[in-house]
Each structure stands twice: as structure tokens, then as C-alpha cells.
Amino acid sequence: MVRKEMKMEFTSQSENEGFARVAVGAFIAGLNPTVDELADVKTAVSEAVTNAIIHGYDQKEGKIFITCQVAENQVEICVIDTGCGIADIEKAKEPLYTTRPELERSGMGFTFMEAFMDEVWVASRVGEGTRVTMRKRIGKA
Amino acid sequence: MEHRFEQATGQLIVRMPREVDHHSSGQLKQETEALMGRYPVRGLVFDFRDTVFMDSSGIGVILGRCRNLRFAGGRTRAIHLNRQIQKIFQISGLHKVIDVEL
Ligand SMILES: Nc1ncnc2c1ncn2[C@@H]1O[C@H](COP(=O)(O)OP(=O)(O)OP(=O)(O)O)[C@@H](O)[C@H]1O
Ligand SMILES: [Mg+2]
């Protein structure tokens, strides 16, 4: 089984959100995703990276790491920050739950990640950071 | 950001950017708010004809403006959504709050 991997590291400016989506999208192109599958993955990546920037680093500078692996017809993506961490992960994942309503956040990021990917795991520790791992089978339809 | 205001109907039509994300949404919000202050807006239309991508950042921008306009009795619409944006509207329930035309 051929396994391909890529890693990237970038600073937490909002300009890099688009860059992260495009880079992951290009990396998984070899799996021949449909237009919809590609859009699903890009949306999930955008949500995780935006969360790292807004919540993890509270819009201050920090580093974001993405690892992406493809094997057979599956993609696994990890988005990691070393920011503030999440105290209550179950609560954070609830639809419409947000700690930043004043920034007009809607509390839908985790809901989208779960809707667009097959599996989502969140590991986090307060004061240390957050790792979101997402998996999706490509071409199952 | 391109926009058009129709005097006769009080409709403000806003052309959404190519990608609506956290990076673009700050300016989008500011410009839309400024236009809503400048014109007697009775209806707000978000036109997604140029937009290929939107994430949760767009929801807050749309809902926030929609609420502000509703206080003044105005309605908000979204038009020309691609499939990815339709999914965002459906999963978030936004399609129940504002009128959508594909
Ligand atoms: N990387 C992170 N670091 C710290 N806190 C996080 C992180 N990701 C998410 N959170 C917390 O989880 C909450 C829910 O995240 P989610 O993405 O679902 O909603 P949101 O970011 O608040 O709103 P939206 O994504 O709709 O703009 C956030 O409000 C924040 O408190
Ligand atoms: Mg979010």
C-alpha cells in the first residue's frame, strides 16, 4: 500500500487560510476526488485553521502545523496549534456553541468538520494546544 | 466590493468576494455596514455569482446584517449559490432564516 505524506508549517495570519486549503486540495488531487469531495475537505481544513488562528492564538502570532496523509482511497489531515487549548471539548463541538459571539462567530465550525469528513477527533489541553484529526474516504460514492 | 442600489425598490445588491472566509469577512462586513448606512435599504441581497468558497465566517456576516436590517423591517436574500455554499446554508440552518434563490 502506497502511503504519501506531506507536512506544512505556517504562521497564523488569516491570509494563510486560503493557502492551507489550496495546499491540502492539491495534495489529495491524486485520489481523484469529485468536485464535492474536494470542497468538503477544503471547508473542513478552513474551519480547523481558522479556529487555530482566532481561538487558539487569539489572533496573535503563532505557528500552525498541518500533516496530511493519503493511503488507498483515504485522506487523514491533522491541524495542530500550540495555543490556549479547549477546556470542554464536548461543549465546543456542540452546534451553535461559540465563545466569541462578539466576533460574529456562529459556532458551526466543528459541526461542518463533522458533516464534511467521515471522522473527526479533537485532542486538546488547556495552555498547550489543540490537535484536530480528520479522516475521509474519497471516491466511495 | 461591487454593489448596486436600486432606488425604486430599496434593494442593495452586494457582490460577494471569490472566497468568503475569516480573511475576507472583516472587510466584507465593514463595507456592507457602510453601504447600509449610506442608502435607505429596505432589502439586502447577497449575490454569490463570483463566489467559489464560503466557510462558517460567512454565516456571521450574513446573519449579523440580516438582524440589523430586520429591526428596520427589511428582508435579506442570498442568490446564485454554488453547491458548496448551498451545503453551508443547509447544515447551518441559514436557509430557514433568509430567502435563498439558486
Ligand atoms: N484550536 C482551538 N483552540 C482553542 N479553542 C478552540 C479551538 N477550536 C475551537 N475552539 C473553541 O471551540 C468553540 C467552537 O468552535 P467552532 O469552530 O465550532 O465555532 P466558532 O469557531 O466559535 O464559530 P464558527 O466556526 O462558526 O465561526 C470556539 O468558540 C472556541 O471556544
Ligand atoms: Mg470555528
Side-chain angles (χ1 to χ4, degrees), chain B residues 34-68:
Chain B
L35 291 169
M36 290 171 75
R38 190 189 314 165
Y39 300 114
V41 178
R42 278 178 282 143
L44 177 60
V45 182
F46 289 107
D47 185 344
F48 286 90
R49 72 179 64 219
D50 306 319
T51 308
V52 297
F53 178 86
M54 180 174 108
D55 67 16
S56 66
S57 309
I59 298 173
V61 175
I62 294 169
L63 268 185
R65 308 297 76 67
C66 168
R67 287 198 187 111
N68 292 352

CSV table of all heavy atoms in Angstrom, one decimal, chain B residues 34-68:
chain,number,residue,atom,x,y,z
B,34,ALA,N,-21.3,50.0,5.9
B,34,ALA,CA,-21.1,51.3,5.4
B,34,ALA,C,-22.2,51.6,4.4
B,34,ALA,O,-22.9,52.7,4.4
B,34,ALA,CB,-19.7,51.6,4.9
B,35,LEU,N,-22.4,50.7,3.5
B,35,LEU,CA,-23.5,50.9,2.4
B,35,LEU,C,-24.9,50.9,3.1
B,35,LEU,O,-25.7,51.7,2.6
B,35,LEU,CB,-23.4,49.7,1.4
B,35,LEU,CG,-22.1,49.7,0.6
B,35,LEU,CD1,-22.1,48.3,-0.2
B,35,LEU,CD2,-22.1,50.8,-0.4
B,36,MET,N,-25.1,50.2,4.1
B,36,MET,CA,-26.4,50.2,4.7
B,36,MET,C,-26.6,51.5,5.5
B,36,MET,O,-27.8,51.8,5.7
B,36,MET,CB,-26.5,49.0,5.7
B,36,MET,CG,-26.6,47.6,4.9
B,36,MET,SD,-26.5,46.2,6.0
B,36,MET,CE,-28.1,46.2,6.7
B,37,GLY,N,-25.5,52.1,5.8
B,37,GLY,CA,-25.7,53.5,6.5
B,37,GLY,C,-25.9,54.5,5.4
B,37,GLY,O,-26.5,55.6,5.7
B,38,ARG,N,-25.4,54.3,4.2
B,38,ARG,CA,-25.4,55.3,3.2
B,38,ARG,C,-26.8,55.4,2.4
B,38,ARG,O,-27.2,56.4,2.0
B,38,ARG,CB,-24.3,55.1,2.2
B,38,ARG,CG,-24.1,56.2,1.2
B,38,ARG,CD,-23.1,55.9,0.1
B,38,ARG,NE,-21.9,55.3,0.5
B,38,ARG,CZ,-21.0,54.7,-0.3
B,38,ARG,NH1,-21.3,54.6,-1.6
B,38,ARG,NH2,-19.9,54.1,0.2
B,39,TYR,N,-27.4,54.2,2.2
B,39,TYR,CA,-28.6,54.1,1.5
B,39,TYR,C,-29.8,53.8,2.3
B,39,TYR,O,-29.7,53.1,3.3
B,39,TYR,CB,-28.5,53.1,0.4
B,39,TYR,CG,-27.4,53.3,-0.6
B,39,TYR,CD1,-26.3,52.4,-0.7
B,39,TYR,CD2,-27.4,54.3,-1.5
B,39,TYR,CE1,-25.3,52.5,-1.6
B,39,TYR,CE2,-26.4,54.5,-2.4
B,39,TYR,CZ,-25.4,53.6,-2.5
B,39,TYR,OH,-24.4,53.7,-3.4
B,40,PRO,N,-31.0,54.2,1.9
B,40,PRO,CA,-32.2,53.8,2.6
B,40,PRO,C,-32.6,52.3,2.2
B,40,PRO,O,-33.5,52.1,1.4
B,40,PRO,CB,-33.3,54.8,2.2
B,40,PRO,CG,-32.8,55.2,0.8
B,40,PRO,CD,-31.3,55.1,0.8
B,41,VAL,N,-31.9,51.4,2.8
B,41,VAL,CA,-32.0,50.0,2.4
B,41,VAL,C,-33.3,49.3,2.9
B,41,VAL,O,-33.5,49.3,4.1
B,41,VAL,CB,-30.8,49.2,2.8
B,41,VAL,CG1,-30.9,47.7,2.4
B,41,VAL,CG2,-29.5,49.8,2.2
B,42,ARG,N,-34.1,48.8,2.0
B,42,ARG,CA,-35.3,48.0,2.5
B,42,ARG,C,-35.1,46.5,2.3
B,42,ARG,O,-35.7,45.7,2.9
B,42,ARG,CB,-36.5,48.5,1.8
B,42,ARG,CG,-37.1,49.8,2.5
B,42,ARG,CD,-38.3,50.3,1.8
B,42,ARG,NE,-38.0,51.0,0.6
B,42,ARG,CZ,-38.7,51.0,-0.5
B,42,ARG,NH1,-39.8,50.3,-0.6
B,42,ARG,NH2,-38.3,51.7,-1.6
B,43,GLY,N,-34.2,46.2,1.3
B,43,GLY,CA,-33.9,44.8,1.0
B,43,GLY,C,-32.5,44.6,0.8
B,43,GLY,O,-31.8,45.5,0.1
B,44,LEU,N,-31.9,43.5,1.3
B,44,LEU,CA,-30.5,43.3,1.1
B,44,LEU,C,-30.3,42.0,0.4
B,44,LEU,O,-30.9,41.0,0.8
B,44,LEU,CB,-29.8,43.2,2.5
B,44,LEU,CG,-28.3,42.9,2.6
B,44,LEU,CD1,-27.5,43.9,1.8
B,44,LEU,CD2,-27.8,42.9,4.0
B,45,VAL,N,-29.5,42.0,-0.7
B,45,VAL,CA,-29.3,40.8,-1.5
B,45,VAL,C,-27.8,40.5,-1.5
B,45,VAL,O,-27.0,41.3,-2.0
B,45,VAL,CB,-29.8,41.0,-2.9
B,45,VAL,CG1,-29.6,39.7,-3.7
B,45,VAL,CG2,-31.2,41.5,-2.9
B,46,PHE,N,-27.4,39.3,-1.0
B,46,PHE,CA,-26.0,38.8,-1.1
B,46,PHE,C,-25.9,38.0,-2.4
B,46,PHE,O,-26.5,37.0,-2.5
B,46,PHE,CB,-25.7,38.0,0.1
B,46,PHE,CG,-25.5,38.8,1.4
B,46,PHE,CD1,-26.5,38.7,2.4
B,46,PHE,CD2,-24.4,39.6,1.6
B,46,PHE,CE1,-26.3,39.4,3.6
B,46,PHE,CE2,-24.3,40.3,2.8
B,46,PHE,CZ,-25.2,40.2,3.7
B,47,ASP,N,-25.2,38.5,-3.4
B,47,ASP,CA,-25.1,37.8,-4.6
B,47,ASP,C,-23.7,37.1,-4.7
B,47,ASP,O,-22.7,37.6,-4.7
B,47,ASP,CB,-25.1,38.9,-5.8
B,47,ASP,CG,-25.1,38.3,-7.1
B,47,ASP,OD1,-24.8,37.1,-7.3
B,47,ASP,OD2,-25.4,39.0,-8.1
B,48,PHE,N,-23.9,35.7,-4.8
B,48,PHE,CA,-22.7,34.9,-4.7
B,48,PHE,C,-22.2,34.4,-6.1
B,48,PHE,O,-21.5,33.4,-6.2
B,48,PHE,CB,-23.0,33.6,-3.9
B,48,PHE,CG,-23.1,33.8,-2.4
B,48,PHE,CD1,-24.3,34.2,-1.8
B,48,PHE,CD2,-22.0,33.7,-1.6
B,48,PHE,CE1,-24.4,34.4,-0.4
B,48,PHE,CE2,-22.0,33.9,-0.2
B,48,PHE,CZ,-23.2,34.2,0.4
B,49,ARG,N,-22.5,35.2,-7.2
B,49,ARG,CA,-22.2,34.7,-8.5
B,49,ARG,C,-20.7,34.5,-8.7
B,49,ARG,O,-20.3,33.7,-9.5
B,49,ARG,CB,-22.8,35.6,-9.6
B,49,ARG,CG,-22.1,36.9,-9.7
B,49,ARG,CD,-22.8,37.8,-10.8
B,49,ARG,NE,-24.2,38.1,-10.5
B,49,ARG,CZ,-25.1,38.1,-11.4
B,49,ARG,NH1,-24.9,37.7,-12.7
B,49,ARG,NH2,-26.4,38.4,-11.1
B,50,ASP,N,-19.9,35.3,-8.0
B,50,ASP,CA,-18.4,35.2,-8.2
B,50,ASP,C,-17.8,34.3,-7.1
B,50,ASP,O,-16.6,34.1,-7.1
B,50,ASP,CB,-17.8,36.6,-8.0
B,50,ASP,CG,-18.3,37.6,-8.9
B,50,ASP,OD1,-18.6,37.3,-10.1
B,50,ASP,OD2,-18.5,38.8,-8.5
B,51,THR,N,-18.6,33.8,-6.2
B,51,THR,CA,-18.0,33.1,-5.0
B,51,THR,C,-17.9,31.6,-5.3
B,51,THR,O,-18.8,30.9,-5.6
B,51,THR,CB,-18.9,33.3,-3.8
B,51,THR,OG1,-19.1,34.7,-3.7
B,51,THR,CG2,-18.3,32.8,-2.5
B,52,VAL,N,-16.7,31.1,-5.0
B,52,VAL,CA,-16.4,29.7,-5.2
B,52,VAL,C,-16.3,29.0,-3.8
B,52,VAL,O,-16.4,27.7,-3.8
B,52,VAL,CB,-15.1,29.4,-6.0
B,52,VAL,CG1,-15.3,29.9,-7.4
B,52,VAL,CG2,-13.9,30.0,-5.3
B,53,PHE,N,-16.2,29.7,-2.8
B,53,PHE,CA,-16.0,29.1,-1.5
B,53,PHE,C,-16.5,30.0,-0.3
B,53,PHE,O,-16.3,31.2,-0.3
B,53,PHE,CB,-14.4,28.9,-1.2
B,53,PHE,CG,-14.1,28.2,0.1
B,53,PHE,CD1,-14.2,26.9,0.3
B,53,PHE,CD2,-13.8,29.0,1.2
B,53,PHE,CE1,-13.9,26.3,1.5
B,53,PHE,CE2,-13.6,28.5,2.5
B,53,PHE,CZ,-13.6,27.1,2.6
B,54,MET,N,-17.2,29.3,0.6
B,54,MET,CA,-17.6,30.0,1.8
B,54,MET,C,-17.5,29.1,3.0
B,54,MET,O,-17.9,27.9,2.9
B,54,MET,CB,-19.0,30.6,1.7
B,54,MET,CG,-19.4,31.3,3.0
B,54,MET,SD,-21.0,32.2,2.9
B,54,MET,CE,-22.0,31.1,3.9
B,55,ASP,N,-16.9,29.6,4.1
B,55,ASP,CA,-17.0,28.7,5.4
B,55,ASP,C,-17.8,29.4,6.4
B,55,ASP,O,-18.5,30.4,6.1
B,55,ASP,CB,-15.5,28.4,5.8
B,55,ASP,CG,-14.7,29.6,6.3
B,55,ASP,OD1,-15.3,30.6,6.6
B,55,ASP,OD2,-13.5,29.5,6.4
B,56,SER,N,-17.7,29.0,7.7
B,56,SER,CA,-18.6,29.5,8.7
B,56,SER,C,-18.4,31.0,8.9
B,56,SER,O,-19.3,31.6,9.5
B,56,SER,CB,-18.3,28.8,10.1
B,56,SER,OG,-17.0,29.1,10.5
B,57,SER,N,-17.3,31.6,8.5
B,57,SER,CA,-17.1,33.0,8.7
B,57,SER,C,-18.2,33.8,8.0
B,57,SER,O,-18.6,34.9,8.4
B,57,SER,CB,-15.7,33.4,8.1
B,57,SER,OG,-14.7,32.6,8.6
B,58,GLY,N,-18.7,33.3,6.8
B,58,GLY,CA,-19.7,34.0,6.1
B,58,GLY,C,-21.1,34.0,6.8
B,58,GLY,O,-21.9,34.9,6.6
B,59,ILE,N,-21.3,33.0,7.6
B,59,ILE,CA,-22.6,32.9,8.3
B,59,ILE,C,-22.8,34.1,9.2
B,59,ILE,O,-23.8,34.7,9.2
B,59,ILE,CB,-22.7,31.6,9.1
B,59,ILE,CG1,-22.6,30.4,8.2
B,59,ILE,CG2,-24.0,31.5,9.9
B,59,ILE,CD1,-22.5,29.1,8.9
B,60,GLY,N,-21.7,34.4,10.0
B,60,GLY,CA,-21.8,35.5,10.9
B,60,GLY,C,-22.0,36.9,10.2
B,60,GLY,O,-22.8,37.7,10.6
B,61,VAL,N,-21.4,37.0,9.1
B,61,VAL,CA,-21.5,38.3,8.3
B,61,VAL,C,-23.0,38.4,7.8
B,61,VAL,O,-23.6,39.5,8.0
B,61,VAL,CB,-20.6,38.3,7.1
B,61,VAL,CG1,-20.8,39.5,6.2
B,61,VAL,CG2,-19.1,38.2,7.5
B,62,ILE,N,-23.5,37.3,7.3
B,62,ILE,CA,-24.9,37.4,6.7
B,62,ILE,C,-25.9,37.6,7.8
B,62,ILE,O,-26.7,38.4,7.8
B,62,ILE,CB,-25.2,36.1,5.9
B,62,ILE,CG1,-24.2,36.0,4.7
B,62,ILE,CG2,-26.6,36.0,5.5
B,62,ILE,CD1,-24.3,34.7,4.0
B,63,LEU,N,-25.8,36.7,8.9
B,63,LEU,CA,-26.8,36.8,10.0
B,63,LEU,C,-26.7,38.2,10.7
B,63,LEU,O,-27.8,38.7,11.0
B,63,LEU,CB,-26.5,35.7,11.0
B,63,LEU,CG,-27.2,34.4,10.9
B,63,LEU,CD1,-26.9,33.5,12.0
B,63,LEU,CD2,-28.7,34.6,10.7
B,64,GLY,N,-25.5,38.7,10.9
B,64,GLY,CA,-25.4,40.0,11.6
B,64,GLY,C,-26.1,41.1,10.8
B,64,GLY,O,-26.9,41.9,11.4
B,65,ARG,N,-25.9,41.1,9.5
B,65,ARG,CA,-26.5,42.2,8.7
B,65,ARG,C,-28.0,41.9,8.6
B,65,ARG,O,-28.8,42.9,8.6
B,65,ARG,CB,-25.9,42.2,7.2
B,65,ARG,CG,-24.4,42.2,7.1
B,65,ARG,CD,-23.8,43.5,7.7
B,65,ARG,NE,-23.6,43.6,9.1
B,65,ARG,CZ,-22.9,42.8,10.0
B,65,ARG,NH1,-22.2,41.8,9.5
B,65,ARG,NH2,-22.9,43.1,11.2
B,66,CYS,N,-28.4,40.7,8.5
B,66,CYS,CA,-29.8,40.3,8.4
B,66,CYS,C,-30.6,40.8,9.6
B,66,CYS,O,-31.7,41.4,9.5
B,66,CYS,CB,-29.9,38.8,8.2
B,66,CYS,SG,-31.5,38.1,8.4
B,67,ARG,N,-30.0,40.6,10.8
B,67,ARG,CA,-30.6,41.0,12.0
B,67,ARG,C,-30.8,42.5,12.1
B,67,ARG,O,-31.8,43.1,12.4
B,67,ARG,CB,-29.8,40.6,13.2
B,67,ARG,CG,-29.9,39.1,13.4
B,67,ARG,CD,-29.5,38.7,14.9
B,67,ARG,NE,-29.5,37.2,15.0
B,67,ARG,CZ,-28.4,36.5,15.1
B,67,ARG,NH1,-27.2,37.1,15.2
B,67,ARG,NH2,-28.5,35.2,15.1
B,68,ASN,N,-29.7,43.2,11.7
B,68,ASN,CA,-29.7,44.7,11.7
B,68,ASN,C,-30.8,45.2,10.8
B,68,ASN,O,-31.6,46.1,11.2
B,68,ASN,CB,-28.4,45.3,11.3
B,68,ASN,CG,-27.3,45.0,12.3
B,68,ASN,OD1,-27.5,44.6,13.4
B,68,ASN,ND2,-26.0,45.4,11.9
